[in-house]
Amino acid sequence: MTTTATYPVEGMTCEHCVRAVTTELGGLPGVQRVRVDLATGTAEVVSDAPLPFDAVQAAVDEAGYEVKAIA
Ligand code: 9UX
């Protein structure tokens, strides 16, 4: 059983941004897969269980970007 959630990520403008966000989100406990879309400014995260939103926000903040709310 997995959970998929999509988050809007603000501030990403190049593939290096995408890489940074992907790496940080991928390091969260239980995360199985991360797919960041630069064109739409979203991050799709597949995880074992629903992720605490504050943990997702913290990870994206750590990468240098911002999650506003769940899309
Ligand atoms: Mo690319 Mo993103 O040079 O903050 S890493 S714009």
Side-chain angles (χ1 to χ4, degrees):
M1 188 59 186
T2 60
T3 299
T4 302
T6 303
Y7 306 92
V9 178
E10 293 203 341
M12 299 187 298
T13 54
C14 83
E15 280 302 325
H16 299 104
C17 304
V18 170
R19 183 76 62 90
V21 171
T22 302
T23 299
E24 285 295 334
L25 287 174
L28 291 175
V31 171
Q32 298 181 355
R33 191 168 59 78
V34 179
R35 196 162 53 200
V36 175
D37 188 321
L38 183 60
T40 58
T42 56
E44 182 188 83
V45 182
V46 179
S47 55
D48 298 338
L51 298 171
F53 186 59
D54 60 347
V56 172
Q57 280 188 309
V60 172
D61 180 75
E62 190 66 32
Y65 308 96
E66 194 174 359
V67 174
K68 284 302 188 186
I70 295 176

